[in-house]
Amino acid sequence: MSGEFNLIEKYFVDQQAQRSDVVLAAGDDCALVSAPVGSLIAISTDTLVAGTHFLASANPRWVAHKALASNISDLAAMGATPAWVSFALTMPEIDEIWLAPFCEGFFALADQYGLQLIGGDTTKGPLSLTLTVQGLVPQGEALLRSGAQVGDGIYVTGLLGDSQAGLDVILDKSNATKPFASELEKRHYLSTPRTQVGEALRGIASAAIDISDGVISDLGHILKRSGVGAQVEVEQLPLSQPLLEFVGSSPQAQQYALTSGEEYELCFTVPDSREDAMWQALQDIDCQITRIGTINDDDKLRLTLDGQDLAWQLSGYDHFKTN
Amino acid sequence: MSGEFNLIEKYFVDQQAQRSDVVLAAGDDCALVSAPVGSLIAISTDTLVAGTHFLASANPRWVAHKALASNISDLAAMGATPAWVSFALTMPEIDEIWLAPFCEGFFALADQYGLQLIGGDTTKGPLSLTLTVQGLVPQGEALLRSGAQVGDGIYVTGLLGDSQAGLDVILDKSNATKPFASELEKRHYLSTPRTQVGEALRGIASAAIDISDGVISDLGHILKRSGVGAQVEVEQLPLSQPLLEFVGSSPQAQQYALTSGEEYELCFTVPDSREDAMWQALQDIDCQITRIGTINDDDKLRLTLDGQDLAWQLSGYDHFKTN
């Protein structure tokens, strides 16, 4: 950990147990790590900017969770096991009232996922965070976006739509009186990255992605990379009771589920021939799995409700666009 | 490469030849790379914020060079060979006039050092860049800060002080009429990371660091981590003719050389027993190497001029502190 704010070292250095593959974590020009023979290293970088991805006034513990969870989720989507994280924090001035809970949230989640902070940078400027996470996946077993085949089932983890509803509350306080408003706001920040599911799907799923821009947008990436189409059965979308009560109708909740970003759930495809293996691999993991559709040879993503085509015009998830 | 600005993909994706150890570079949730058996991975992250580390009005090609060079320099200081870089760019809006030359500068330097861009994120917000570079170093051969021993010679690469003089020009245009002002401004941005020197020093140098905060400050890190002291012979500091003419006197130039940060030269220590091996290892590398002092068993860093102690009170390098 280097940077302009040496005080920050007290919050970030030596807060975790050392992983056996970390030779050097802090205090030199670089960290040094080793990857096991036969593994590939999966690497993802994400930036969160105050005002764009979170409000500067947000609970710092939640901001830390969201920043780290969004990165871990990228590892989950590759079937990678979390290993190391580098962290760059830019803030206008040292604010210990903000830093202490931020670091609590950060290390709580990092420890839970076996992720060790190996270094970073702290600089002066407008509040933002950039994390680079690295994970390990056996050679040839990474889950890619490009492997979906005609006939594969399309599945998602967890529940969809809550993150958008939470964002509604964050951006417009008049929504705070709606049912489950504070619960949904919390869900927006506190997602659960699905690394266990991703690891279990190695050798089983034909394609996977995490839901950061809305499931139709993210599934669209799988379709494009795989050169296939899809039918999504909207009545199958897994919706929470709080979402249904918050938005007030099933169609509205379904539309939320289709476009809600920053869910950090997985969307993946599995051939029918491996469906039994899938359910077996996932049986001990505490995570709802729902089949929402089927890959086909169309050139587009088709939405149906009880077998009838839907002509919904849905706009993509655009983070804090109203800011 | 993900992010809000999809247009940016056109500048960043598929601009380089694929390294053989890069399995997947862009277009999925993570990049996938493999490290050779017997190697450690050296990782460093640095953020540059407009207004703190560069002026928003600076030549974008130079900004790209500075950002990447400062990161590559951290690899050099570990004796690591550059391999992969992840890149997070935050900017207020897409500015192609800025991006095109920025990318030219970025890829020119990346290609020169064999560094492949493997992914990143592009977000909306105040202008800043965070780079995470990764390099490879044979197990047990990384250069650390902690190995300096009493009696070791202290060496630096290149010339010292020019970066500070360049910063003087950038921050105070009244300096622009001084000799070599524009040449020194350019040198501030366009440093040469010393990876060849770092690689050659594997198994030879007892400690190394790159000069980002001024040589006395950075050498201080070696002393602290190694539990030793040092004498630096100020008359030995390698000074450029432009610096001498810009500041007007040798003592002033020496003070610049001692405190100038963002030089991205290496400072390293070598036992006398390995001095011959050092000169032999470095003989084919086009880089000036200068012995500037000796490690001793003091508890501090002592500056001498022709054998006499100096009582200079020097302040550390503080980036764009006047901004």
Side-chain angles (χ1 to χ4, degrees):
Chain A
M1 186 69 52
S2 60
E4 277 124 52
F5 295 141
N6 289 326
L7 179 61
I8 289 185
E9 291 194 13
K10 103 175 190 201
Y11 289 101
F12 288 106
V13 174
D14 291 335
Q15 303 295 313
Q16 293 181 286
Q18 185 100 343
R19 286 173 59 96
S20 63
D21 54 12
V22 174
V23 177
L24 190 68
D28 217 300
D29 293 276
C30 294
L32 289 172
V33 301
S34 66
V37 176
S39 276
L40 294 182
I41 305 157
I43 306 162
S44 176
T45 293
D46 271 310
T47 298
L48 279 82
V49 181
T52 304
H53 305 91
F54 63 93
L55 297 184
S57 59
N59 181 332
R61 193 178 281 102
W62 294 3
V63 172
H65 186 109
K66 181 173 173 179
L68 190 52
S70 69
N71 274 272
I72 296 173
S73 180
D74 284 317
L75 296 178
M78 301 296 283
T81 304
W84 319 301
V85 58
S86 307
F87 177 57
L89 174 63
T90 300
M91 57 194 318
E93 54 189 16
I94 295 172
D95 176 354
E96 300 198 50
I97 304 290
W98 191 89
L99 268 174
F102 178 89
C103 289
E104 255 183 56
F106 184 90
F107 287 114
L109 192 65
D111 285 343
Q112 189 186 333
Y113 282 83
L115 201 56
Q116 186 181 339
L117 180 68
I118 53 165
D121 194 13
T122 52
T123 49
K124 188 171 176 165
L127 185 60
S128 77
L129 332 162
T130 297
L131 278 79
T132 301
V133 291
Q134 305 198 62
L136 298 166
V137 59
Q139 223 143 11
E141 295 188 23
L143 307 177
L144 306 183
R145 297 179 179 177
S146 53
Q149 303 269 351
V150 174
D152 289 358
I154 302 167
Y155 300 83
V156 294
T157 59
L159 302 165
L160 300 184
D162 290 357
S163 173
Q164 176 66 61
L167 189 54
D168 285 358
V169 180
I170 294 163
L171 293 180
D172 181 353
K173 283 295 163 200
S174 75
N175 289 312
T177 55
K178 292 188 181 173
F180 295 101
S182 62
E183 171 67 18
L184 290 163
E185 179 181 2
K186 194 170 165 184
R187 286 195 190 179
H188 173 82
Y189 283 106
L190 303 182
S191 60
T192 303
R194 303 300 187 182
T195 53
Q196 280 187 301
V197 174
E199 288 166 26
L201 291 174
R202 291 174 190 162
I204 291 172
S206 51
I209 193 168
D210 79 320
I211 301 175
S212 55
D213 296 325
V215 68
I216 50 172
S217 172
D218 293 310
L219 175 57
H221 292 306
I222 287 182
L223 303 185
K224 188 174 171 192
R225 300 282 291 190
S226 301
V228 293
Q231 176 185 356
V232 169
E233 297 160 41
V234 167
E235 70 277 15
Q236 303 297 339
L237 291 165
L239 309 174
S240 73
Q241 198 58 34
L243 176 66
L244 284 161
E245 298 196 24
F246 180 84
V247 299
S249 79
S250 284
Q252 187 72 359
Q254 287 157 345
Q255 295 191 4
Y256 269 56
L258 290 167
T259 59
S260 175
E262 303 183 303
E263 292 283 353
Y264 306 122
E265 298 294 348
L266 297 186
C267 174
F268 57 95
T269 60
V270 175
D272 281 347
S273 63
R274 292 204 285 263
E275 194 189 333
D276 288 349
M278 176 191 84
W279 290 119
Q280 188 146 7
L282 295 174
Q283 68 184 350
D284 293 330
I285 299 171
D286 180 25
C287 175
Q288 182 175 333
I289 307 287
T290 309
R291 180 169 175 156
I292 62 163
T294 306
I295 296 292
N296 59 32
D297 59 3
D298 266 12
D299 58 358
K300 63 177 192 305
L301 194 162
R302 196 176 129 220
L303 300 178
T304 62
L305 185 67
D306 301 325
Q308 302 299 309
D309 278 327
L310 281 173
W312 287 349
Q313 295 300 318
L314 303 171
S315 63
Y317 184 77
D318 207 6
H319 302 278
F320 281 22
K321 60 181 166 187
T322 59
N323 284 50
Chain B
M1 183 70 53
S2 61
E4 278 124 50
F5 297 138
N6 290 326
L7 179 62
I8 289 185
E9 292 194 14
K10 101 175 192 202
Y11 289 101
F12 287 106
V13 174
D14 291 335
Q15 303 295 312
Q16 292 183 287
Q18 186 100 342
R19 286 174 58 98
S20 63
D21 54 11
V22 175
V23 176
L24 190 68
D28 217 302
D29 292 278
C30 294
L32 290 172
V33 301
S34 65
V37 176
S39 275
L40 294 182
I41 305 157
I43 305 163
S44 176
T45 294
D46 270 310
T47 298
L48 280 81
V49 181
T52 304
H53 304 93
F54 63 92
L55 297 184
S57 60
N59 181 334
R61 192 177 281 102
W62 294 3
V63 172
H65 185 109
K66 181 174 172 176
L68 190 51
S70 69
N71 273 273
I72 297 175
S73 180
D74 284 316
L75 296 178
M78 300 296 283
T81 304
W84 318 301
V85 58
S86 307
F87 178 57
L89 173 63
T90 300
M91 56 193 317
E93 55 189 17
I94 295 173
D95 178 354
E96 300 198 51
I97 303 291
W98 191 90
L99 269 174
F102 179 89
C103 290
E104 258 183 53
F106 185 88
F107 287 114
L109 192 65
D111 285 343
Q112 189 187 332
Y113 282 84
L115 201 56
Q116 186 180 339
L117 180 67
I118 53 165
D121 194 14
T122 52
T123 49
K124 188 169 174 164
L127 185 60
S128 76
L129 332 163
T130 296
L131 278 79
T132 302
V133 291
Q134 306 199 60
L136 299 165
V137 59
Q139 223 143 10
E141 294 189 23
L143 308 177
L144 307 182
R145 297 179 179 176
S146 52
Q149 302 270 351
V150 174
D152 290 357
I154 302 167
Y155 300 83
V156 294
T157 60
L159 302 164
L160 299 183
D162 291 358
S163 173
Q164 176 65 62
L167 189 54
D168 286 358
V169 179
I170 294 164
L171 292 181
D172 182 352
K173 283 299 166 196
S174 74
N175 288 314
T177 54
K178 291 187 182 174
F180 296 100
S182 61
E183 170 67 18
L184 290 162
E185 180 181 1
K186 194 170 166 183
R187 287 194 189 179
H188 173 82
Y189 282 104
L190 303 181
S191 60
T192 303
R194 304 299 187 182
T195 52
Q196 280 188 301
V197 173
E199 288 166 28
L201 290 174
R202 291 174 190 161
I204 291 173
S206 52
I209 194 168
D210 79 320
I211 301 174
S212 54
D213 296 324
V215 68
I216 50 172
S217 173
D218 293 309
L219 175 58
H221 293 306
I222 288 182
L223 302 186
K224 190 175 171 192
R225 300 282 291 189
S226 302
V228 293
Q231 177 184 358
V232 169
E233 298 161 40
V234 166
E235 71 275 15
Q236 302 298 338
L237 292 165
L239 309 174
S240 73
Q241 197 57 35
L243 176 66
L244 284 162
E245 297 196 25
F246 180 86
V247 298
S249 78
S250 284
Q252 187 72 357
Q254 287 157 345
Q255 295 191 5
Y256 269 56
L258 289 167
T259 59
S260 175
E262 301 183 302
E263 293 283 352
Y264 305 121
E265 299 292 349
L266 297 185
C267 174
F268 57 94
T269 60
V270 176
D272 282 347
S273 61
R274 292 203 286 264
E275 194 189 336
D276 288 350
M278 175 190 84
W279 291 118
Q280 189 146 7
L282 296 174
Q283 67 184 352
D284 293 330
I285 299 170
D286 181 24
C287 176
Q288 181 174 333
I289 306 287
T290 309
R291 179 168 177 158
I292 62 164
T294 306
I295 297 293
N296 59 33
D297 58 3
D298 264 12
D299 58 359
K300 63 178 193 304
L301 193 161
R302 194 176 132 220
L303 300 177
T304 62
L305 184 67
D306 301 324
Q308 304 298 310
D309 279 327
L310 281 172
W312 288 349
Q313 295 301 317
L314 303 171
S315 63
Y317 184 77
D318 207 5
H319 303 277
F320 282 21
K321 61 181 164 184
T322 60
N323 283 51

